Amino acid sequence: MSLLARRRPRGILTGLAALAVGGLLVGHGMLPDAGGAGSLVDTFLPWAGAALLALGALALIRLSVFAGVGVALAAAAWWSLFGAALLPAMPAGAPALRIVSENIEAGNDRAGAIAHELAGRSPDLIALQELDAGTLPAVEEALDGAYPHHVVVGTVGLWSRYELGDEQRLDLGLGWDRALRVDVATPGSPTRVYVAHLASVRIGEYAQRDAMLHELTATVAADRADRLLVVGDLNAASGDRALAPLLGVVHERADDGFGLGFTWPASFPVARLDHILTRGVTAVHSTVLPGNGSDHRGIEVGVR
């Protein structure tokens, strides 16, 4: 064995890998968004924590100070980004209005059952996405009795206990309507609700989603409603740089439980693509619902 090999710090590769992960955590925003790659990195960045757990275990096995310091520095970077969201949100009182939202999956033969299960939670508003000719009749049959007011635009819909008015169809630059705006006659003062399903993102296919997000952000920013909700499958994770401008004009409450509130895919959620965002109201609770047969999990938010 050479002198150089004897003096090489133990766990050097583990430490360098941890520092590389830490560098990605700190500098991911500087990565170019070529072909939507930056958005995908942002979306799955929380899972860097899993890599750090594995590297931390290797550092312990190697009893390496260098590797341990590298993992600790990277873990600090991870915690600065995601630590607050990982912990349960503080209780903030009883809600005056409860909303549930779910992408029920086009062609899903459980659409009626899903709608019935959501209604069983007794929310005031139910927003659904990926409604189609096969699922809409079953959903209407399940909901129209308890929710006498509803509006459907394209593949999105809103069912309400309260009267709806000033309905508006929105295409958000998509070329066909896949979003709506409506005023809900909530007690005290009306609440304006946007329900949207934005275009999906894949490598090389992100421009439509980004254009729709830009249109939605501009529309919401210009809206002078006192109470406002943005609800639906936005196909953008909470940490996605593309969602940041919208989160500058509306707000998202952290999940009430431990975890980052991931909603997709339902079988093993890795990202939060579904959102209920607020302005002019206070979100007092937020929770991800159990899987119910869709490829997304539903979310429930209470506001006052």
Side-chain angles (χ1 to χ4, degrees):
M1 182 181 292
S2 69
L3 181 62
L4 178 61
R6 288 197 302 270
R7 291 182 177 178
R8 186 176 65 189
R10 286 179 295 177
I12 189 169
L13 294 179
T14 301
L16 290 174
L19 291 174
V21 173
L24 178 64
L25 287 162
V26 171
H28 69 99
M30 294 183 289
L31 294 174
D33 197 24
S39 278
L40 288 176
V41 170
D42 296 344
T43 296
F44 296 106
L45 196 63
W47 289 95
L52 291 176
L53 288 175
L55 292 171
L58 287 174
L60 286 174
I61 292 170
R62 298 287 293 169
L63 297 177
S64 168
V65 173
F66 176 75
V69 170
V71 170
L73 291 173
W78 188 95
W79 187 262
S80 71
L81 291 174
F82 306 112
L86 182 68
L87 299 176
M90 295 294 291
L97 180 73
R98 293 195 303 120
I99 311 99
V100 297
S101 176
E102 185 169 354
N103 179 327
I104 62 169
E105 189 178 6
N108 192 342
D109 59 9
R110 292 205 76 251
I114 290 171
H116 181 75
E117 290 173 20
L118 295 177
R121 303 184 66 85
S122 297
D124 301 291
L125 303 175
I126 298 176
L128 300 176
Q129 304 90 55
E130 288 204 11
L131 297 165
D132 59 19
T135 58
L136 181 57
V139 168
E140 289 178 326
E141 182 178 354
L143 296 182
D144 282 358
Y147 296 87
H149 312 285
H150 83 270
V151 56
V152 175
V153 169
T155 57
V156 302
L158 180 71
W159 277 258
S160 172
R161 296 190 187 278
Y162 307 112
E163 290 186 5
L164 303 175
D166 195 19
E167 302 165 8
Q168 187 172 112
R169 306 172 69 91
L170 304 172
D171 70 8
L172 301 178
L174 181 64
W176 59 284
D177 299 329
R178 203 159 86 168
L180 65 87
R181 191 205 76 185
V182 65
D183 290 338
V184 183
T186 45
S189 62
T191 302
R192 179 158 292 172
V193 179
Y194 289 81
V195 182
H197 182 197
L198 303 191
S200 299
V201 173
R202 300 173 183 85
I203 293 293
E205 298 180 24
Y206 68 101
Q208 277 192 330
R209 192 282 311 266
D210 286 0
M212 293 181 77
L213 265 176
H214 177 78
E215 285 289 325
L216 180 60
T217 300
T219 301
V220 171
D223 195 316
R224 300 274 69 88
D226 292 331
R227 295 164 51 92
L228 184 147
L229 305 175
V230 177
V231 183
D233 175 4
L234 303 185
N235 270 309
S238 299
D240 190 332
R241 68 190 71 186
L243 191 64
L246 181 59
L247 292 179
V249 295
V250 288
H251 310 287
E252 183 167 39
R253 177 180 168 86
D255 199 68
D256 288 358
F258 285 98
L260 297 174
F262 294 155
T263 62
W264 175 89
S267 56
F268 186 83
V270 299
R272 186 182 184 97
L273 304 185
D274 306 270
H275 305 272
I276 298 176
L277 311 174
T278 66
R279 192 186 75 195
V281 297
T282 300
V284 296
H285 85 81
S286 176
T287 188
V288 175
L289 306 181
N292 57 14
S294 173
D295 58 346
H296 286 244
R297 295 195 181 192
I299 52 176
E300 177 181 309
V301 169
V303 304
R304 58 176 173 82

